[in-house]
Amino acid sequence: MTALSAPAPANPEGEAIPRHVAIIMDGNGRWAKAKRLPRLAGHKQGVEAVRRVSKAARELGIEVLTLYAFSSENWRRPEEEVRDLMGLLRHFLKNELRDLVGENVRLRVIGDYHALSDDLVAMIDDAIARTAANSGATLVIALNYGAQAEIVAAARRLAVAAKAGELDPAQIDDAMFGDALTTHGLPPLDLLIRTSGEQRLSNFLLWQAAYAELLFVDTLWPDFDGAALADAIAQFGKRQRRFGGL
């Protein structure tokens, strides 16, 4: 049985639990606008939702939670908002690292985070290093991430290796290509959730989502919580996954 078709484990209630869940955390701005608050207030509540949902994911037995925190296209936002988002990232890393270490959570970051400021890169590298040996759940944060760029970079690396005679182009298959992506070593993506009612992937995990179940929920990200995640998992458990078969 391949990793692609490996069945999801079940919790004590018999529900299938996806090994790998990804979330497009959308709706912070609309949440703030609905409450006549500045967008920063929405982003702050979004960070609280990250804390709640990542903890709930671990309690549900989800092995890997991947969160789309900052896309490579988000640089187009107003400079002040980008600065606020980076400030919240600093706050999250500073305040959550101890819990991640204590709860045996491994942190991974995908995307070109080295394009961020030097102090943030240092904080991220430190957080990754301090949790690298943890053997519990994995929290993956996508920062300055874009799936198209990820795929192009993987193709370029394989092409360079082939040109150097390090591999035979005929040997390149799905597995080898997947190993060249930034998500290498993670279990296949089972469930991708997007909050806020929008129904598109927005350049997130395009390769990895090939056989993932997609779930679009109307809840704005700051209001998403453990109960909402549990409901999403329950809906996942009702899906019949065929992977192209019958």
Side-chain angles (χ1 to χ4, degrees), residues 54-65:
S54 59
K55 181 178 181 181
R58 295 194 289 276
E59 292 172 350
L60 286 166
I62 295 168
E63 293 179 35
V64 179
L65 177 67

Side-chain angles (χ1 to χ4, degrees), residues 45 48-57 221-226:
Q45 287 303 310
E48 291 302 313
V50 168
R51 189 175 292 115
R52 290 195 304 268
V53 172
S54 59
K55 181 178 181 181
W221 174 248
D223 291 329
F224 202 82
D225 56 14

Side-chain angles (χ1 to χ4, degrees), residues 2 59 63 66 82 126 131 144 190 217 230:
T2 66
E59 292 172 350
E63 293 179 35
T66 298
V82 171
D126 177 63
T131 63
N144 193 25
D190 294 308
V217 299

Side-chain angles (χ1 to χ4, degrees), residues 28-42 45:
N28 291 349
R30 273 166 283 171
W31 183 91
K33 184 177 181 180
K35 298 181 180 300
R36 298 185 178 182
L37 295 171
R39 287 178 64 84
L40 178 58
Q45 287 303 310

Side-chain angles (χ1 to χ4, degrees), residues 90-224:
R90 286 188 187 88
H91 180 79
F92 177 82
L93 290 169
K94 184 177 180 180
N95 290 280
E96 295 303 308
L97 180 57
R98 180 180 297 177
D99 286 345
L100 294 178
V101 172
E103 295 181 20
N104 198 26
V105 177
R106 183 173 60 133
L107 178 69
R108 277 182 64 169
V109 175
I110 59 174
D112 183 17
Y113 71 89
H114 289 95
L116 306 184
S117 63
D118 291 344
D119 70 307
L120 264 177
V121 172
M123 291 179 74
I124 293 168
D125 285 340
D126 177 63
I128 292 172
R130 289 176 61 183
T131 63
N134 288 354
S135 57
T138 299
L139 175 63
V140 183
I141 305 293
L143 288 173
N144 193 25
Y145 173 87
Q148 291 176 331
E150 178 190 30
I151 292 170
V152 169
R156 186 181 296 122
R157 278 195 293 274
L158 293 174
V160 169
K163 185 178 180 180
E166 297 170 359
L167 65 85
D168 180 352
Q171 295 177 324
I172 299 174
D173 57 12
D174 292 357
M176 183 180 290
F177 198 90
D179 287 342
L181 297 171
T182 58
T183 51
H184 61 86
L186 297 177
L189 180 61
D190 294 308
L191 174 63
L192 193 155
I193 303 167
R194 180 169 188 152
T195 61
S196 88
E198 300 290 348
Q199 298 189 8
R200 55 179 176 270
L201 297 184
S202 296
N203 202 16
F204 184 48
L205 300 179
L206 299 182
W207 173 276
Q208 297 85 345
Y211 283 100
E213 296 298 318
L214 307 182
L215 183 63
F216 303 102
V217 299
D218 291 333
T219 308
L220 301 175
W221 174 248
D223 291 329
F224 202 82

